[in-house]
Amino acid sequence: MIKPIVTHDIHKKDNPKVLQEKTRRITDFECEETRNCVKDLNDTLDQLIKDEGNKRGAIGLSANQIAYPLAMSAVTLGDTRYMFINPEIIEKRGHDRLFRIGCFSLYEYRAMVRYNDDVTIAYYDPDGNRQTIDLKGDRSCVVQHEMDHLDGLLLFERLEHKEKDLFVPREALYKDGKVPLRNHGKIFELRRKLGLNKTISAPIWYSSLFNDYSDYVSLVEKTSKEYRTMLKLIEQYTPVNGKILEAGNGIGALSVYLDKKGYEVRCCIEDDDMRELAQRINDQNDSSVSYVSGNMTSLPFEDKAFNTIFSYEVLETLDDAALEVALLEGLRTAETYIFMVPTIKLNANTLKGNERLRTREAWEEFLNKNQFEIVESNEICDGGYVIFAIK
Ligand SMILES: [Zn+2]
């Protein structure tokens, strides 16, 4: 029988106890409870796979997730269904490493959890025969996650660094291929409810994005209209093989893309971890962007060292004084400054991070007041973003 999944809502106090209590070892393989549990676990996991797919070649469900307090997990590895009854790790050969995992009982989350990546598990099959299996990588992770369930441990209780290892997954946040940063607010909100620190580590955040799009072409061309619009403008204002600076870069995907198109590209960011991650992405894409440490309000470059400087969803985090300095600095080092910022039209009720949202008109007023010449001003995404080119 297909059973409903028992879920845990972190915003509530009266959650079902079955997920947070250690399950009972099975001693009688013939009894009705055991046999029903085997059947219901199989049926329910079949349905989940039908609904969700078996995206990474391994997917599992534990008995307490369908309200049986028994030490039993169903796991599909490739095309094979295993029923792990009373499982235990009998050998660890690999390294403990962080895996990015999700859970049907905490559906809106992903977390980074550390598991050994090469283990031997001993378990009983539904006929009561003792078996062993060697598991590596994702398979090792999935089975150990199910074993956590059997111990009554949920995802968020396994976080090593509560301050940074919790996510809301891309798919829950990014509807219609829109860019991620806009929804930082939602993450802040969820983290606040969990009692975690308000800020999320950018490298961890981007790592999760990068896991899904290790290929810069996919990232730039397939995910986001904002990226494409931004690129068009950068190319319009930069001569062939010209020099470009990205100030306050994130993942640096646009820079990698521009490098591949023959431009000479540098990125400048203060955060060491973020710079390291961008460098890693650059290296993996076999690209030659150079990464420099520096603050947007005092760029470590000569006057007019670049044709174009651009910033992608970062200037809205500066206060007016810093913003003016950053724009002046940008135009000292380059002829044209192209930047994209979210506006107040952008789903404002989900943005509770450090963005300072204003209307397009307010942006224009700010730029005019400070005597920047607006040479382009384009609204995109129904006015949710505006892209400026200024001189
Ligand atoms: Zn789970």
Side-chain angles (χ1 to χ4, degrees):
M1 190 193 296
I2 296 165
K3 293 277 192 174
I5 307 289
V6 180
T7 58
H8 183 98
D9 183 343
I10 55 167
H11 307 153
K12 287 187 188 156
K13 285 219 168 87
D14 56 342
N15 278 293
K17 287 198 170 60
V18 68
L19 288 175
Q20 289 185 286
E21 284 172 349
K22 196 169 163 61
T23 54
R24 212 166 68 227
R25 283 176 66 84
I26 290 167
T27 49
D28 183 351
F29 291 83
E30 297 299 323
C31 75
E32 203 182 333
E33 187 187 29
T34 303
R35 284 161 60 161
N36 285 343
C37 183
V38 169
K39 178 155 191 338
D40 293 350
L41 256 185
N42 271 326
D43 291 349
T44 309
L45 186 56
D46 285 345
Q47 183 62 41
L48 286 173
I49 290 172
K50 221 164 119 187
D51 293 345
E52 305 284 331
N54 178 5
K55 287 170 194 145
R56 304 175 73 173
I59 189 168
L61 188 69
S62 288
N64 49 349
Q65 291 182 280
I66 55 167
Y68 287 94
L70 301 176
M72 180 191 306
S73 305
V75 180
T76 291
L77 301 172
D79 297 328
T80 309
R81 169 69 46 81
Y82 292 87
M83 196 60 72
F84 292 104
I85 297 175
N86 305 339
E88 51 178 330
I89 298 174
I90 55 170
E91 194 188 343
K92 291 183 181 180
R93 285 174 302 275
H95 301 283
D96 283 348
R97 69 176 178 91
L98 284 171
F99 288 89
R100 178 178 185 259
I101 60 171
C103 176
F104 290 115
S105 291
L106 277 157
Y107 198 70
E108 59 190 344
Y109 296 96
R110 296 291 183 274
M112 298 302 286
V113 178
R114 200 173 285 281
Y115 291 114
N116 194 284
D117 63 5
D118 186 359
V119 298
T120 301
I121 308 277
Y123 64 100
Y124 290 86
D125 65 22
D127 298 324
N129 300 313
R130 189 177 148 93
Q131 310 277 2
T132 61
I133 186 170
D134 295 341
L135 297 165
K136 287 186 181 172
D138 283 346
R139 293 172 170 222
S140 172
C141 160
V142 166
V143 175
Q144 288 177 79
H145 169 73
E146 298 313 324
M147 290 172 71
D148 278 348
H149 276 301
L150 303 185
D151 285 334
L153 287 173
L154 285 167
L155 213 54
F156 61 83
E157 297 169 285
R158 288 282 273 119
L159 301 181
E160 207 164 289
H161 304 289
K162 286 202 185 332
E163 295 308 315
K164 59 179 187 179
D165 287 347
L166 185 79
F167 305 99
V168 177
R170 283 180 59 78
E171 48 274 32
L173 287 179
Y174 317 146
K175 302 267 159 61
D176 312 321
K178 290 176 183 167
V179 286
L181 282 179
R182 71 173 63 189
N183 278 312
H184 269 186
K186 188 169 178 189
I187 290 189
F188 289 141
E189 181 65 11
L190 286 165
R191 290 171 64 82
R192 191 184 62 72
K193 284 177 178 163
L194 269 176
L196 302 179
N197 189 300
K198 186 165 176 276
T199 56
I200 188 160
S201 140
I204 290 284
W205 170 250
Y206 279 110
S207 290
S208 82
L209 175 70
F210 182 53
N211 282 344
D212 296 341
Y213 289 97
S214 53
D215 163 15
Y216 74 97
V217 177
S218 307
L219 184 70
V220 173
E221 292 185 345
K222 294 184 187 153
T223 64
S224 144
K225 189 181 169 202
E226 295 90 311
Y227 270 177
R228 292 194 296 274
T229 312
M230 190 83 182
L231 280 169
K232 217 171 125 187
L233 215 53
I234 293 168
E235 295 190 70
Q236 188 184 324
Y237 282 93
T238 314
V240 176
N241 301 330
K243 294 181 179 181
I244 297 173
L245 173 67
E246 178 172 5
N249 64 280
I251 195 170
L254 282 173
S255 285
V256 169
Y257 194 87
L258 289 161
D259 170 83
K260 295 277 185 181
K261 288 211 140 193
Y263 296 99
E264 192 181 321
V265 188
R266 307 188 83 173
C267 285
C268 181
I269 187 169
E270 205 164 25
D271 185 297
D272 292 337
D273 292 339
M274 197 67 242
R275 196 172 52 255
E276 235 169 70
L277 178 70
Q279 176 79 57
R280 187 154 58 84
I281 288 163
N282 171 78
D283 296 349
Q284 290 187 12
N285 280 290
D286 206 15
S287 148
S288 54
V289 176
S290 77
Y291 297 85
V292 183
S293 172
N295 188 289
M296 296 179 78
T297 56
S298 65
L299 295 166
F301 304 104
E302 311 254 298
D303 291 358
K304 302 297 178 209
F306 303 93
N307 299 106
T308 312
I309 175 175
F310 76 92
S311 295
Y312 185 88
E313 281 198 296
V314 57
L315 291 171
E316 72 278 8
T317 63
L318 303 180
D319 64 37
D320 279 4
L323 176 61
E324 189 190 352
V325 176
L327 294 175
L328 285 169
E329 260 301 89
L331 290 175
R332 178 185 63 75
T333 59
E335 288 149 25
T336 311
Y337 202 140
I338 295 167
F339 62 93
M340 190 181 85
V341 284
T343 73
I344 206 151
K345 285 188 186 171
L346 182 71
N347 217 358
N349 57 350
T350 65
L351 278 160
K352 295 185 185 70
N354 54 356
E355 304 90 342
R356 297 174 69 232
L357 297 176
R358 33 186 144 198
T359 60
R360 175 187 181 167
E361 292 72 28
W363 274 101
E364 288 174 347
E365 196 186 313
F366 174 86
L367 293 169
N368 287 328
K369 191 182 80 187
N370 291 289
Q371 290 164 4
F372 295 105
E373 182 199 346
I374 302 171
V375 291
E376 295 265 359
S377 154
N378 295 327
E379 271 184 25
I380 48 175
C381 299
D382 300 324
Y385 288 97
V386 58
I387 295 181
F388 289 104
I390 61 169
K391 282 186 186 287

